[in-house]
Amino acid sequence: MGTVSFYPGPSRVYPKVKRYLQDAYRNNIVSINHRSDEFVEISKSTIRLLHEKLNVPDDYTIYFVSSATESWEIIAQSLIKEQSIHLFNGAFGKKWFEYTARIKPGTTAKPFTLQEKLKPAAFTSGDTLCITQNETSNGTQVTNKLIQQLHAKNPNHLIAVDATSSMAGIELDFTSADVWFASVQKCFGLPAGLAVLICSPAALKRAEQVNHRQHYNSLLYLHEMMQQYQTTYTPNVLGIYLLKCVLESAKPIKKVSSTIKSRYKKWESFFDTKSNQLNFLARSKAVRSHTVLAIEAPVAKVQQVKAAAKEAGFLLGNGYGEWKNTTFRIANFPAIQRKEIARLMDFLYGFI
Ligand SMILES: *Cc1c(COP(=O)(O)O)cnc(C)c1O
């Protein structure tokens, strides 16, 4: 048996990806032209399936881009007028803020700690609010409810949400924000090199006001090309095809979400009640992510667990950023199988 990856990205891909790759090669998908009818059919089906399986509202539009990082750039160039405000508690939210600040110097950071919830305040400055729904670096999340409250208090701000390590794993209320994005190498269970960017009608209106047209990935160009289910550049056709295949057999997000939550609950009881030495980095249950678990322990313990896990055929995620040496991470993504989780739990019993 090979190593099972519990790394929270790039992560375990669905085992059926092997067959889809073979089909793609056999059926020559790997060399089709991105302006051909064949590509347009694949693209159109994929967009339809994203709406259907993830519950994306009909009036929200979906675009193919190359990564979450590119989405940060598109938002900064095409959607932020003068100033965005970034509410974050971890390394990815901070990186997004720093990246945006280089493009829009007026950008402001509103950090909060990982032991507290995001506060849905009413903002009197800024035109765009940026939040990281699932902070992959420390295993915390912002609930749909808090995003709804933030939206209600800031009806004139655009709200952009990084859902890279939760989209396709948990149910997101897309109507509560204007821009959502995720790359596919996390919860989608696919190889890296593709991301989806989802925009509300208000986001498109904003793009028209900003009228940014200096870059190939300006949202207005992406939108124009998407009218024909195409992209402004030669896209990752294989990635889009694999996404289509995975979505075709995916359960509706409500169902997936409830599986993820019940698996998370098992992990929660494991670490909270059975273990003294391995603890959630986030103390409060209310802020913990359901898809990425960050587990804290003394440095030597973390090293010991990771090394032994490797020997036993499990790849655990390293700690990230300031929690690099004092945590390890466990992905709770849909592509991971129930029996694999049971095996990892059995293994971890030796270290609690
Ligand atoms: C992984 C990750 C990113 C970066 O994704 P790329 O596909 O490498 O651009 C951004 N934000 C979050 C929350 C992530 O987990």
Side-chain angles (χ1 to χ4, degrees):
M1 215 178 300
T3 297
V4 181
S5 176
F6 283 85
Y7 219 101
S11 42
R12 190 194 196 309
V13 299
Y14 282 103
K16 53 198 171 193
V17 166
K18 179 178 176 185
R19 182 161 49 82
Y20 299 150
L21 280 167
Q22 287 164 340
D23 292 347
Y25 187 84
R26 202 175 305 120
N27 301 328
N28 218 23
I29 305 287
V30 286
S31 36
I32 59 172
N33 189 294
H34 60 296
R35 304 291 175 221
S36 67
D37 292 345
E38 206 177 353
F39 172 75
V40 168
E41 273 314 305
I42 293 170
S43 168
K44 196 170 168 179
S45 302
T46 312
I47 299 287
R48 177 180 52 76
L49 285 161
L50 285 165
H51 275 285
E52 194 179 302
K53 297 292 173 97
L54 301 184
N55 245 343
V56 178
D58 288 344
D59 59 348
Y60 278 51
T61 41
I62 305 177
Y63 309 94
F64 297 121
V65 295
S66 63
S67 65
T69 306
E70 188 190 10
S71 306
W72 295 345
E73 180 178 278
I74 293 169
I75 292 163
Q77 293 172 338
S78 294
L79 292 172
I80 297 167
K81 277 198 250 177
E82 297 291 334
Q83 184 196 30
S84 53
I85 298 174
H86 294 247
L87 296 86
F88 60 85
N89 72 358
F92 284 101
K94 182 162 185 263
K95 219 169 172 179
W96 183 7
F97 158 69
E98 289 167 349
Y99 192 86
T100 305
R102 278 180 246 142
I103 298 173
K104 297 276 165 173
T107 294
T108 306
K110 296 270 182 211
F112 55 102
T113 74
L114 73 99
Q115 308 302 356
E116 64 181 333
K117 289 192 213 173
L118 175 146
K119 285 188 191 64
F123 289 92
T124 50
S125 62
D127 53 74
T128 305
L129 303 176
C130 298
I131 59 177
T132 304
Q133 191 277 326
N134 201 73
E135 180 47 80
T136 321
S137 68
N138 59 24
T140 61
Q141 70 167 328
V142 180
T143 59
N144 281 322
K145 196 169 165 192
L146 282 174
I147 302 176
Q148 287 155 6
Q149 289 169 355
L150 188 70
H151 183 63
K153 288 196 173 162
N154 300 278
N156 299 320
H157 286 75
L158 218 56
I159 300 182
V161 185
D162 183 339
T164 300
S165 53
S166 56
M167 192 187 289
I170 66 164
E171 194 175 15
L172 300 165
D173 174 14
F174 290 103
T175 62
S176 66
D178 301 292
V179 186
W180 297 80
F181 55 91
S183 32
V184 300
Q185 74 273 19
K186 299 193 178 164
C187 268
F188 283 93
L190 286 164
L194 177 70
V196 291
L197 174 68
I198 302 175
C199 292
S200 73
L204 277 182
K205 206 171 282 169
R206 171 70 72 82
E208 280 159 19
Q209 288 166 0
V210 173
N211 199 29
H212 171 83
R213 294 177 184 273
Q214 282 93 318
H215 296 91
Y216 80 96
N217 58 4
S218 299
L219 189 55
L220 294 174
Y221 294 147
L222 298 186
H223 187 71
E224 263 168 42
M225 293 308 289
M226 205 23 114
Q227 302 309 304
Q228 284 82 48
Y229 296 95
Q230 294 183 26
T231 49
T232 55
Y233 58 100
T234 313
N236 182 346
V237 176
L238 177 60
I240 295 169
Y241 173 77
L242 295 176
L243 177 57
K244 175 180 90 97
C245 295
V246 160
L247 287 170
E248 273 168 347
S249 63
K251 297 201 169 75
I253 192 62
K254 237 187 189 36
K255 193 101 203 253
V256 176
S257 195
S258 103
T259 302
I260 291 299
K261 186 145 184 206
S262 85
R263 291 176 176 185
Y264 163 77
K265 287 281 174 199
K266 288 203 185 99
W267 278 122
E268 187 176 78
S269 107
F270 180 84
F271 289 113
D272 278 353
T273 65
K274 299 195 176 75
S275 176
N276 294 320
Q277 300 196 61
L278 306 175
N279 294 295
F280 279 96
L281 175 64
R283 301 279 177 269
S284 159
K285 288 182 186 176
V287 305
R288 287 180 196 158
S289 162
H290 292 160
T291 54
V292 179
L293 285 61
I295 305 301
E296 189 176 37
V299 176
K301 185 89 183 173
V302 169
Q303 280 171 351
Q304 185 201 5
V305 172
K306 282 196 304 192
K310 204 168 171 189
E311 285 288 302
F314 304 106
L315 178 65
L316 298 176
N318 289 331
Y320 197 98
E322 68 180 282
W323 304 283
K324 195 172 173 51
N325 299 316
T326 51
T327 63
F328 61 86
R329 292 175 301 155
I330 299 173
N332 183 29
F333 293 163
I336 296 167
Q337 295 169 9
R338 193 177 296 275
K339 58 177 190 245
E340 295 167 342
I341 298 174
R343 278 174 44 218
L344 177 60
M345 232 178 238
D346 276 348
F347 163 81
L348 287 171
Y349 263 111
F351 300 88
I352 56 179

